[in-house]
Amino acid sequence: MKQALAALFFVVLGAPAMAQMTPVGVWKSLDDKTGAPKSQVRISDHGGVLNGQVERVLREGADPLAVCDKCTDDRKGKSIVGLEIIRGAKQAEGKTVWEDGKILDPENGKTYTLRLTPVEGGSKLEVRGSIGPFGRTQTWVRVQ
């Protein structure tokens, strides 16, 4: 009985930490150069495939009614708030890395190959966008 209770105790305490080692949740994206908040993005799981939408624009002085005028696909002309910027990321087998998706930079309309890696116990998310061997990594902070 004591062993069962001890096992249950560790499962219950460990579950929140394990649950956080996923990109699913709400994140604050930060400007690469200044570190200032840019947007709030909600990443959702749809049958093992992750997608992410901009919930709020946080950049100081940004127009909350702005649209993605530089987008070249189905997102062209759509409001930045509500815009799906992450599409199709899947967890790599046996790893806490999500890849094979795409991420859109609404500022330039370009789409990049995506890699999402939760770090620091899931409190931060390394978001890497790349084209071939070239890319950049941003660190997003978990809001919830």
Side-chain angles (χ1 to χ4, degrees):
M1 182 67 169
K2 286 183 181 179
Q3 288 177 333
L5 285 174
L8 181 62
F9 176 77
F10 287 113
V11 167
V12 169
L13 285 182
M18 295 277 289
Q20 296 298 308
M21 288 302 288
T22 172
V24 173
V26 180
W27 300 92
K28 181 172 31 174
S29 69
L30 305 172
D31 186 277
D32 293 350
K33 295 177 182 101
T34 66
K38 287 174 58 175
S39 65
Q40 185 170 298
V41 178
R42 178 176 299 274
I43 300 177
S44 305
D45 185 324
H46 302 277
V49 178
L50 303 186
N51 297 322
Q53 291 184 301
V54 176
E55 283 195 332
R56 292 176 44 204
V57 176
L58 303 174
R59 186 185 303 263
E60 191 172 317
D63 179 2
L65 302 177
V67 298
C68 192
D69 55 0
K70 294 184 180 176
C71 292
T72 59
D73 60 11
D74 61 301
R75 296 170 279 199
K76 184 167 184 66
K78 294 200 174 164
S79 176
I80 299 293
V81 175
L83 190 67
E84 187 177 53
I85 61 167
I86 294 174
R87 290 183 171 172
K90 298 175 191 147
Q91 187 171 9
E93 192 169 329
K95 298 179 182 178
T96 54
V97 173
W98 283 254
E99 46 196 14
D100 296 330
K102 298 288 183 185
I103 187 164
L104 168 73
D105 182 345
E107 291 180 9
N108 64 22
K110 293 182 181 177
T111 303
Y112 302 90
T113 299
L114 173 66
R115 175 181 216 137
L116 301 169
T117 308
V119 294
E120 295 186 26
S123 64
K124 293 184 178 180
L125 183 66
E126 289 182 351
V127 180
R128 178 148 182 91
S130 59
I131 295 178
F134 304 102
R136 71 176 198 227
T137 302
Q138 292 183 338
T139 302
W140 293 2
V141 179
R142 185 180 291 278
V143 175
Q144 48 175 192

